[in-house]
Amino acid sequence: MFGLTQKELEKGKAGHTAREIYQQPKVWNKTLHIFAERKEEIHNFLHAIYSKHEKVRVILTGAGTSAFAGDILVPELQKQDQGKVQFEAIATTDLVSNPTNYLFKKVPTILVSFARSGNSPESLAAVKLATDRIEHFYQVNITCNPEGKLAVNTKDDKNSLTILTPEEAHDQGFAMTSSFTSMMVICYLAFSKDTNAGEKLQTVITNGEKFIESVVNTVDAVLEHSMDRIVYLGSGSLGKFAHEAALKMLELSAGKVVAVHESSLGFRHGPKSILNDKSIVVLFMSRDAYTRKYDLDILKELSGEPKDIKTVALIEMDNEEVSQYANWTVSVNNSKQSLENDFYLSLLYVVFAQVLALKKSIQLGITPDNPSPDGSVNRVVQGVTIYPMSFA
C-alpha cells in the first residue's frame, strides 16, 4: 500500500492507518448498501419529525475530526434544502462549554452526533445538556461503535435513531480516516434532497478506487521537498475541509510539521505570514467555476512569491491554467461524469491529505498508528471534566 511493503508498515507501526486509508472506497460502497437497507426507516424517522413542527433545527456535532464532518456537510445540505430545516454545524466542545449560546428550549432540534467510539465525554455531555434544555429533542447517532455509550444509551428511545457504519470503519489507528469519510457518506445520504445521491456516490467510489492507487506518486514527489510547514486552502465547504487536512498532518507528524488551514480569500489577511522556504501550500480547488476564480487567484499569487514555496493544486479534472501555476496538479475525476458538488470532491481530496500525512510521519520516524506514545494525546480523548449545568 502506497509504495510501502508489509514489513515496512509493521516496522513503522503504520499498518492500521495505511489499511484504513486504503480501504475507503470499499468502505464507502458498503456504506451505500447499509443505507439502502435502512433508507425507508431513516427517511420515515426524519419525516415524522419534520411533519410535527413548523421549523426544525438540525445540529451536526462532534469533536475534532467528527466536528469537521459537520462543517463540510452543512453548506451543501443547506443549499439543497432552503426550506423548513435549518442545518448548523456546532462542535460538542462548544455545545458543552457554552450550552445557553447554542441550545434553545423552544426550538425543535435534531442533534446529529458523529462519533467513532461513541464514548467521548463531550458527545455524551452534549446529549444530556440538549435533553435537559430542549422541549422537542431528537437524536441521530452516526457512529462506528455499536457498543459505544452513544448507541447503547439510546437503544430504546423512540426519539433517537442510531446508524452504524461498516465494521471496518471503526478505525484502530490513532487518526480518524475511514471512520470520518464513511460517517459523512451516511449523513449526506440521510439528509440530502438529491434522490440520485447514491448513484453519484458510485462515481466517487469508482474514481476513488483509481486514485487510491495513483496518489502516492505525487505524495512521494512532494516529500522530496524539505518541508516543515504546510498550509491547506480552499473555498466554502472545501475551506472547512482544509481544517481536517491540516489536523491529519499535525496529528500524524506529532506536531513536527506546522499545519494550518485557511480559506483561499482569507489567507491574505494575515495567515500568509507563515510561509517560508520550507513551506508547502495545498489548494483544494472548487468545481464551481465562479468560486474557482478565487482559488486560482491565490495560486497565481503564490507562484510569483520570491520564497521557495511549493504548491499542490487538487482539482476535479485536468486544467491547463492550473497546471501552469502549480508545482503539482492532481486531478481526481477520471470519468466523463461530473461529481456535481464539492462534498463529493472532498471525499477524494481527503485521500491525498491522509496519505501525505501518513508518509510524512514515517519519513520523520514517527509511528502513525500511535504518534503520541507518551499519552499526551489519545485516540479517545481523556482528561475532560464535565461540570453540572442547571437551566433556569
Side-chain angles (χ1 to χ4, degrees):
M1 291 180 286
F2 312 123
L4 298 164
T5 66
Q6 186 62 35
K7 184 177 288 186
E8 287 172 323
L9 290 170
E10 290 173 0
K11 181 180 179 182
K13 296 183 180 178
H16 285 309
T17 306
R19 183 180 65 253
E20 287 154 6
I21 295 170
Y22 188 82
Q23 72 183 2
Q24 284 175 110
K26 291 181 180 178
V27 172
W28 301 338
N29 197 46
K30 288 190 176 183
T31 301
L32 277 177
H33 289 296
I34 287 173
F35 178 79
E37 291 172 357
R38 298 190 61 188
K39 180 178 179 179
E40 185 176 359
E41 175 195 1
I42 293 167
H43 284 172
N44 287 345
F45 176 82
L46 295 174
H47 180 73
I49 298 170
Y50 297 156
S51 62
K52 285 181 186 177
H53 308 286
E54 184 177 343
K55 192 83 175 177
V56 176
R57 189 176 182 221
V58 178
I59 299 175
L60 276 58
T61 194
T65 291
S66 295
F68 306 153
D71 291 335
I72 296 162
L73 284 161
V74 161
E76 182 59 33
L77 293 176
Q78 194 61 67
K79 181 176 71 175
Q80 290 180 18
D81 193 275
Q82 298 183 28
K84 66 184 294 181
V85 181
Q86 178 64 44
F87 290 95
E88 298 176 54
I90 308 171
T92 55
T93 46
D94 290 328
L95 289 174
V96 170
S97 59
N98 297 272
T100 57
N101 288 1
Y102 300 110
L103 303 175
F104 308 125
K105 184 176 182 179
K106 298 293 184 180
V107 181
T109 301
I110 303 172
L111 189 71
V112 181
S113 296
F114 295 105
R116 175 170 64 175
S117 71
N119 293 316
S120 294
E122 296 98 335
S123 293
L124 302 173
V127 168
K128 184 179 187 312
L129 288 165
T131 302
D132 293 346
R133 175 68 167 170
I134 302 169
E135 286 185 358
H136 299 286
F137 175 61
Y138 310 92
Q139 293 183 71
V140 174
N141 300 317
I142 301 177
T143 181
C144 307
N145 184 13
E147 305 302 324
K149 292 178 182 178
L150 206 59
V152 171
N153 291 351
T154 55
K155 191 174 182 180
D156 299 315
D157 181 1
K158 61 182 177 58
N159 290 328
S160 299
L161 179 70
T162 293
I163 311 173
L164 296 171
T165 64
E167 184 179 353
E168 301 95 314
H170 190 188
D171 297 331
Q172 299 307 299
F174 174 85
M176 290 178 64
T177 53
S178 59
S179 55
F180 167 67
T181 54
S182 61
M183 287 192 292
M184 285 204 300
V185 167
I186 282 280
C187 186
Y188 185 78
L189 289 167
F191 288 96
S192 174
K193 297 295 184 183
D194 186 352
T195 56
N196 294 318
E199 182 180 328
K200 292 169 185 175
L201 277 162
Q202 285 289 359
T203 302
V204 175
I205 291 167
T206 299
N207 279 287
E209 289 169 345
K210 296 175 182 176
F211 189 49
I212 209 81
E213 300 293 349
S214 64
V215 65
V216 69
N217 298 325
T218 306
V219 166
D220 285 347
V222 171
L223 290 178
E224 290 178 7
H225 177 73
S226 181
M227 171 185 71
D228 61 14
R229 299 182 184 187
I230 189 165
V231 178
Y232 287 100
L233 302 177
S235 299
S237 62
L238 292 176
K240 304 297 185 183
F241 163 67
H243 200 168
E244 166 60 11
L247 179 62
K248 281 289 119 3
M249 181 61 76
L250 197 63
E251 287 179 324
L252 293 184
S253 73
K256 291 186 178 180
V257 177
V258 177
V260 299
H261 74 283
E262 187 49 86
S263 67
S264 296
L265 275 174
F267 190 51
R268 297 181 182 90
H269 292 261
K272 192 179 172 188
S273 304
I274 195 172
L275 297 177
N276 64 12
D277 288 340
K278 292 186 177 182
S279 298
I280 296 280
V281 179
V282 180
L283 181 60
F284 301 119
M285 303 200 73
S286 175
R287 68 163 308 281
D288 182 90
Y290 175 79
T291 304
R292 196 165 59 247
K293 292 177 187 293
Y294 295 101
D295 298 331
L296 185 58
D297 280 353
I298 192 65
L299 180 61
K300 289 179 179 177
E301 184 173 317
L302 290 168
S303 72
E305 287 285 322
K307 297 172 184 173
D308 188 22
I309 300 161
K310 302 298 183 185
T311 56
V312 185
L314 278 84
I315 192 165
E316 181 181 4
M317 296 181 179
D318 289 331
N319 182 295
E320 287 186 15
E321 190 173 19
V322 171
S323 298
Q324 177 183 348
Y325 294 104
N327 294 99
W328 297 276
T329 304
V330 183
S331 59
V332 297
N333 185 0
N334 293 310
S335 69
K336 294 181 180 178
Q337 185 175 344
S338 169
L339 298 181
E340 292 204 7
N341 66 48
D342 285 346
F343 166 67
Y344 294 136
L345 272 185
S346 71
L347 291 172
L348 299 173
Y349 285 174
V350 76
V351 172
F352 176 85
Q354 291 168 345
V355 177
L356 183 63
L358 168 73
K359 298 209 73 173
K360 184 61 179 178
S361 179
I362 294 170
Q363 185 185 72
L364 291 169
I366 297 166
T367 53
D369 288 347
N370 183 18
S372 183
D374 63 356
S376 58
V377 185
N378 299 281
R379 183 175 172 275
V380 179
V381 71
Q382 298 177 17
V384 178
T385 300
I386 302 297
Y387 297 97
M389 176 70 180
S390 178
F391 297 104

